[in-house]
Structures are given as C-alpha cells and as structure tokens.
Amino acid sequence: MMKIRFQKKSLLVATIAALSLIGTQGAGATQNVAGAPVVAEIHEWKNPPALTEGIKEGGFSGLVHLPNDPPSIFYTLADRGPNGQFGKDELRTFPDPNYTPRMYKIKVENGNIHVLETIKLRLQQGKINPFTKTAYISGLPNLAGPDEVPYDVTGTKKLSYDPDGLDLEGIAYNPIDDTFWLSDEYRPSIIQVKRDGTILGRYVPKGSKEALLASGAKMEIFDTLPAVYSKRIANRGFEGVTISPDGKFLYTSIQSPMALPDKKTGEASRNLRILKMDLATKKVVGEYMYIAENAKDFVKVKQKDVVISDLAALSQDVLLIDERDKNAGADAQLKRIYKADFSKATNLLGTSTSEHDLEKLTVAQVKEKGIVPVSKELLVDVAKLNYPHEKLEGLAIVDKNTIAIVNDNDFGVDGYDEKGKIKINSNPTQMYVIKVGKDLK
C-alpha cells in the first residue's frame, strides 16, 4: 500500500463541514436534494490501543456487513501493520515487526466505533510460523527479490522475510460455509479463514507456491490463480474482494494496472483486472477488464494514482466498486462508488489479451478488438460529501439503500522527521454511513 502524507488542514476543514451534515449523535441527517446521496452517520475509533513507538492500532483496509447481523455490526481488518519509508532511499521500515495482521468485529453507535473482538490471523493447529516462532503470522514481506526489503524502525537493520506474511486489504464473507475471504497485496493472494482467524488456505498465482514453500511457508498454498498476476506492481496487488450474496462466486480486484510488459506501461494504463472464482470448486472462472477514470479529466492527478480500493456484491453479476485518487480533503476529486455490471463483459481468462496486451490497450483499441469492459454507473460521488480522507478503502452494503465506507489511516504514521524519528499524525479511523438515494437491489 502506498504511503502518502496526510493533509491535516484539509482533514480539519472537511471534517467540520461533514459534521455539519449530521446530528450530535452521528445520525438523523436529512437529504437536501430529493434522491441525492447524503451522509447519515459518522463514527470514529476514538481510543485505539497502543502498539509501539507512540503508534496506535489503526485501519481500516476493508469492510463487510454480514446478512443476518444488525445494521450496526460490521467486520473489518487492518493491513500489514505500521510501516514507513526511511531516508532518501525510502527504505521500507516496520516499527512493530511482531505485529499480527488482524480482523475486527466492530459496532458503531453514537458517533463511536467500538471493537467487540480482535481476531489475529494464525496458522492451523500444530504449525509454527518461521518468523514469529508461534502460530501467529506477521505482516512482513514474503520473498527477497519480488518484495520490498524490510527494515527495523531505525532504517539501519534488515529484518527477516516471512513467507507466511500478509498485507491484508479486503474482506468478504461466504454464508454457505461461514468463512471469511481476505485479499492480500504481497503475492498477490486471496486467503480463506475461519471466524477465529485460523487460515485455511492461501491462493496464489501459478508458479508462486514453490518459492514460498522453499522459504519455509507453513500455510496450505494453492497455486490456482493465473500466473500473470505475479506481474503486479509492488504494493499494488489484490485490493478488493467480495462474495455474491448467494455464496457462489468471489470477485477480487487488482489495485492498479500491472507491470505488463513493464512498470511504465502499467502506471500509464487505465485497464484494471477483476477475477471471478467459483467457490464450490475454488477455480477461477472469469477475468474482466475494468476501465478506470482518465486522470487527465482531473487536476494534479496521475494515472498511476487512480486505483480500485474495494468491492461489494449486489448479485452474482453486479458489484459496487470504490475508485479513488490519492488526494485528501479539499484536494480530493476522485472518491467514487460505481455500480458495475459484469453480465455482458468479455471474459478474458486464458486469452492472449489477458497474458500480453491488456494493460497497453487504449480505450479505442479495446473497442476495436471487440472487448466489452465492465459497465459502470456512478452511484455516489463521495468527494462531494465533504469526505476528508485520502484512503477510502472499505465498502459495505448495509441495506437496500445504505452503504458504509471506512478509511485506512496508516496507523497515523507520517514518515520520519529530520532526526530520524517516526512522525505521528492525528488522522483518525472513521466510518461514514451513506444513504444513496435509491434502491440498490
């Protein structure tokens, strides 16, 4: 995940404006324009537990609401833990290397986010992680070469890799077998876990399994995803994941276009990939092109910074998709929730386009080749609702006309000062509950 300095002034101005939309208890707003989306509630994690170096727990990187839970109950997760970039070489540091990636069960009420349960990820019974020397995994990178080199908080000492380490970005729930599925940026991979955090399996691109096992990985690993996904740009792996309400299909999205044939092409491309898995067989059955917004239509937005952050399924073929830029507060222009229809989109799985050409195609070339991308319809322009955060990263459907979104505050880590000490900002973790102004289902 990218590390961007948070714009404090923009946060303050935008938060004040947003709070003016709601009552003092975080609810009760009315729509100013008939049928227009409106912020109904804002909730905040006000007293997160301390970790180390003045850093507190943070989040959130994904969000899901279970079908039979009250509207105030959600499950969410944090990513690989607090990390920063040290010095002119921007070395990747991990101030809390023993941090365990985790899910949270939360309740929102009266403007507060209450953590009901913290669920740390662990290996199956009898297995010991090679880095932590316990059943719990870390958030450290997996492999030398394709992953960043991990350093300690001082940026002077290299840390060991963890072949079981995960950088979690999305969460989904399967009602058929009562398991969660999480998306990971490292390999990239998708992970099936039990409610107690026990990892049942990690699904990786073909050709990735051997290196992980050779490095000491203890997870059950299935190399069933298309091999081409190993070409993801670092920290731009699987970001969003969702499961259709009937539990039959899983969708997972790459955060930004991949390095095919090279990183320069990927960073200039608008063509993102979304995979579809049949959960009965655990086999990938579809790959679709999603065309991101054109950065040229915005001010001071680079194409490489237009990304997908999360998915939420309305049906087997229709998803909500969170698309955003890297800006915060008053500078933010692209913070949008789209309704995307896959029913008529071209399935590119196993084609030459998937393996070689997808990222380098222009919109005109896509049309010339007869490729039908996923259709998209703007549902909510969150930037117009005075949303203060850069990283709109979690998206959940609450009911037929309500969604919830959460931000990732990066544990408040804001780089290093001139003395080489971690800087902490006041960027909070918040949930916005939005009435969308129309029936979703």
Side-chain angles (χ1 to χ4, degrees):
M1 182 187 309
M2 299 174 292
K3 288 290 176 186
I4 306 296
R5 290 177 181 267
F6 190 79
Q7 302 176 36
K8 298 179 183 178
K9 184 176 180 181
S10 295
L11 169 66
L12 178 61
V13 172
T15 300
I16 291 172
L19 288 172
S20 70
L21 296 174
I22 63 173
T24 57
Q25 299 303 311
T30 57
Q31 298 183 38
N32 295 322
V33 180
V38 64
V39 177
E41 305 170 23
I42 300 176
H43 305 281
E44 184 174 321
W45 193 7
K46 296 180 178 177
N47 295 294
L51 291 172
T52 186
E53 302 288 334
I55 301 169
K56 295 183 178 182
E57 287 192 43
F60 293 126
S61 293
L63 188 69
V64 68
H65 178 260
L66 274 55
N68 295 320
D69 279 348
S72 61
I73 301 296
F74 298 84
Y75 285 82
T76 184
L77 78 171
D79 55 32
R80 57 182 171 175
N83 61 94
Q85 290 180 302
F86 182 86
K88 61 181 178 61
D89 294 327
E90 297 186 336
L91 303 176
R92 181 63 64 186
T93 63
F94 291 81
D96 189 2
N98 292 316
Y99 177 87
T100 300
R102 60 201 62 185
M103 303 186 295
Y104 297 100
K105 181 180 181 180
I106 61 173
K107 181 177 183 179
V108 296
E109 61 179 354
N110 300 327
N112 292 282
I113 296 175
H114 302 287
V115 174
L116 303 181
E117 187 178 2
T118 298
I119 308 162
K120 296 182 179 181
L121 296 198
R122 57 179 296 146
L123 301 172
Q124 295 182 41
Q125 186 173 0
K127 296 185 177 182
I128 301 297
N129 174 269
F131 177 81
T132 67
K133 309 303 181 185
T134 71
Y136 293 100
I137 66 166
S138 79
L140 295 175
N142 299 160
L143 300 168
D147 294 347
E148 296 167 302
V149 180
Y151 285 83
D152 71 353
V153 67
T154 69
T156 60
K157 179 183 177 182
K158 290 183 181 180
L159 301 173
S160 299
Y161 288 89
D162 181 359
D164 289 323
L166 296 174
D167 185 3
L168 301 176
E169 296 296 340
I171 181 170
Y173 174 74
N174 188 350
I176 291 180
D177 60 11
D178 192 36
T179 63
F180 289 98
W181 285 77
L182 316 176
S183 55
D184 155 67
E185 286 199 309
Y186 279 144
R187 291 286 41 88
S189 62
I190 49 176
I191 303 96
Q192 185 182 24
V193 303
K194 296 169 64 174
R195 276 185 182 253
D196 66 359
T198 301
I199 298 168
L200 298 175
R202 184 182 192 184
Y203 294 76
V204 302
K206 294 175 182 177
S208 302
K209 179 177 179 179
E210 291 78 8
L212 291 170
L213 293 178
S215 296
K218 301 302 179 184
M219 291 183 192
E220 292 290 335
I221 300 174
F222 305 92
D223 56 348
T224 57
L225 306 184
V228 70
Y229 281 78
S230 292
K231 300 295 184 181
R232 56 86 181 110
I233 294 174
N235 291 332
R236 299 293 186 94
F238 287 137
E239 187 77 6
V241 65
T242 190
I243 293 173
S244 58
D246 59 12
K248 292 185 177 181
F249 296 103
L250 174 148
Y251 289 85
T252 186
S253 60
I254 207 77
Q255 183 180 16
S256 62
M258 297 196 294
L260 286 169
D262 50 41
K263 184 177 179 180
K264 182 179 179 180
T265 301
E267 290 184 338
S269 178
R270 295 173 57 191
N271 305 332
L272 294 102
R273 299 167 182 253
I274 299 178
L275 282 181
K276 181 179 182 181
M277 174 186 279
D278 183 331
L279 286 175
T281 63
K282 305 295 193 301
K283 302 296 184 184
V284 175
V285 295
E287 182 185 49
Y288 305 92
M289 178 189 293
Y290 177 93
I291 300 180
E293 295 302 295
N294 189 347
K296 294 179 181 178
D297 294 335
F298 304 91
V299 179
K300 294 182 180 180
V301 174
K302 296 179 180 179
Q303 196 62 54
K304 68 177 183 178
D305 295 325
V306 179
V307 301
I308 288 178
S309 279
D310 208 1
L311 312 173
L314 290 169
S315 68
Q316 287 189 4
D317 297 311
V318 180
L319 312 182
L320 299 187
I321 296 182
D322 161 12
E323 190 176 336
R324 66 171 177 87
D325 60 17
K326 73 169 188 176
N327 300 322
D331 297 325
Q333 299 163 72
L334 182 54
K335 301 283 187 286
R336 296 178 180 176
I337 309 299
Y338 287 100
K339 187 175 182 180
D341 190 340
F342 288 69
S343 62
K344 297 179 181 179
T346 302
N347 188 344
L348 297 171
L349 187 66
T351 66
S352 176
T353 296
S354 170
E355 295 174 359
H356 304 291
D357 300 330
L358 192 150
E359 279 72 20
K360 64 184 181 183
L361 296 177
T362 64
V363 173
Q365 289 170 334
V366 169
K367 186 175 181 179
E368 289 171 4
K369 283 180 170 286
I371 297 171
V372 179
V374 175
S375 68
K376 50 193 282 195
E377 171 192 356
L378 180 62
L379 180 69
V380 182
D381 190 336
V382 179
K384 292 183 177 179
L385 298 178
N386 298 305
Y387 189 71
H389 305 287
E390 175 212 337
K391 292 187 174 181
L392 194 173
E393 291 219 358
L395 169 65
I397 298 164
V398 183
D399 59 39
K400 66 179 183 179
N401 55 25
T402 309
I403 63 172
I405 57 176
V406 290
N407 70 297
D408 178 9
N409 76 335
D410 287 331
F411 300 84
V413 174
D414 198 15
Y416 284 78
D417 63 21
E418 63 279 359
K419 296 182 179 180
K421 291 188 65 69
I422 284 279
K423 293 193 296 183
I424 307 297
N425 63 41
S426 58
N427 181 17
T429 298
Q430 295 183 322
M431 175 186 291
Y432 276 51
V433 179
I434 299 172
K435 296 292 184 180
V436 300
K438 62 175 70 174
D439 282 354
L440 293 169
K441 302 178 181 179

